[in-house]
Amino acid sequence: MSKKEGEIIFPLKPAGPPKVWKIIETKNKDTGASTKFSIQEIPEDRYQEVIDHMCKYFIEDEPISNSLNGINDPDYVETFKNFWEKFLEQGLSVAAFTENVNGGKPILAGCNMLGLSFKEEEFDYNTIKSKNGLKVVKAIIEVSKKANVYEKYGVDKYMTAFGLSVNPSYRGAALGGHLLNARVDIGREYNISVTSTAFTSPISQKLAARCGFETLIEKDYVDMVDEKGNQLFPEIKVKSLKIMSKKLF
């Protein structure tokens, strides 16, 4: 269903077939076999599959969620499901699909959940039932605000993201980089000049840097504490969170 934020009406993508941003071909390092992937907008009939993919792989792999054992917390999973549903409604999210050799629908190999962030919007924390989910969202929003993306780039909106994940069967094919780079085409198509995201692991941070993202702010997890001074994520195994941004045109 469409909804309006200021002058923006969602979904942004027009009716009709999803736009294909790029067709890429990769070779398996072991077998030499080639595989083609379509980097494209996500068809509505694949939305639930994309959400299931994110719940299965992203929540398991992402360092903060992993440290909180989010995969085994139904309320935590539900929190992120709700975010991803709203992002999909905006029509910006991108996925990598490959041909199904057995026939049927193309196989979902990976996706990046994209949406718009607006300068004047205030997040309603009361919508989050999960204690750990609330802790994560508050921490990311607070660090993101300190990055001053709107002021730095002179914009009133930017493209953000809430998770990039590749199916383990297709890792090693550089799909993460292709999904990140698709933001350039998406931004130009929908007149969004800047993208900014919280990258929570050293792997995603290195990938973003290779794709031309600059670090605006870095926050060590040991320095993320509650009002009593207790660490928010004491079990996390990586060093820091980075807010990283890129001009798209």
Side-chain angles (χ1 to χ4, degrees), residues 35-248:
T35 305
K36 286 185 177 180
F37 296 93
S38 172
I39 309 298
Q40 63 171 75
E41 293 178 333
I42 301 172
E44 290 185 21
D45 66 351
R46 308 298 294 269
Y47 282 3
Q48 186 58 53
E49 182 182 355
V50 165
I51 290 172
D52 291 343
H53 167 100
M54 293 296 290
C55 290
K56 181 177 182 180
Y57 296 116
F58 180 80
I59 294 178
E60 178 71 29
D61 295 338
E62 190 277 317
I64 300 178
S65 299
N66 180 272
S67 77
L68 296 169
N69 194 27
I71 195 72
N72 292 313
D73 180 346
D75 285 340
Y76 188 92
V77 174
E78 189 66 24
T79 294
F80 288 87
K81 272 187 177 181
N82 292 337
F83 275 116
W84 291 325
E85 286 172 356
K86 290 176 182 177
F87 271 43
L88 286 169
E89 287 175 3
Q90 293 190 15
L92 292 174
S93 296
V94 62
F97 291 99
T98 189
E99 180 185 3
N100 188 339
V101 295
N102 297 318
K105 292 181 177 181
I107 297 170
L108 172 67
C111 51
N112 192 193
M113 310 303 281
L114 303 174
L116 285 181
S117 180
F118 297 90
K119 188 173 183 177
E120 302 301 329
E121 71 181 342
E122 289 294 332
F123 189 84
D124 183 4
Y125 293 113
N126 294 320
T127 61
I128 299 178
K129 297 179 181 178
S130 163
K131 180 180 178 180
N132 279 337
L134 181 62
K135 186 160 56 173
V136 173
V137 173
K138 274 189 172 182
I140 290 176
I141 288 178
E142 286 176 10
V143 179
S144 297
K145 285 181 177 179
K146 292 177 181 177
N148 294 320
V149 176
Y150 303 109
E151 293 77 11
K152 176 177 174 59
Y153 295 103
V155 295
D156 59 5
K157 67 179 186 295
Y158 63 83
M159 187 190 311
T160 188
F162 210 80
L164 187 157
S165 174
V166 174
N167 186 308
S169 299
Y170 296 98
R171 291 174 187 173
L175 290 182
H178 288 294
L179 289 167
L180 269 184
N181 283 327
R183 296 191 198 183
V184 175
D185 293 320
I186 297 167
R188 289 172 178 170
E189 178 71 22
Y190 297 115
N191 195 32
I192 307 163
S193 63
V194 173
T195 184
S196 183
T197 301
F199 291 92
T200 61
S201 80
I203 295 173
S204 63
Q205 291 160 7
K206 289 176 183 177
L207 175 63
R210 288 200 298 270
C211 292
F213 284 70
E214 63 175 325
T215 300
L216 299 188
I217 190 170
E218 180 175 9
K219 181 83 169 180
D220 286 354
Y221 289 113
V222 295
D223 296 327
M224 293 184 181
V225 296
D226 62 20
E227 61 277 3
K228 295 181 180 179
N230 299 314
Q231 288 186 27
L232 293 177
F233 314 115
E235 303 299 322
I236 200 161
K237 297 179 176 65
V238 296
K239 178 180 183 291
S240 65
L241 176 152
K242 292 182 179 181
I243 305 299
M244 302 178 72
S245 304
K246 180 179 179 178
K247 282 185 68 68
L248 301 174

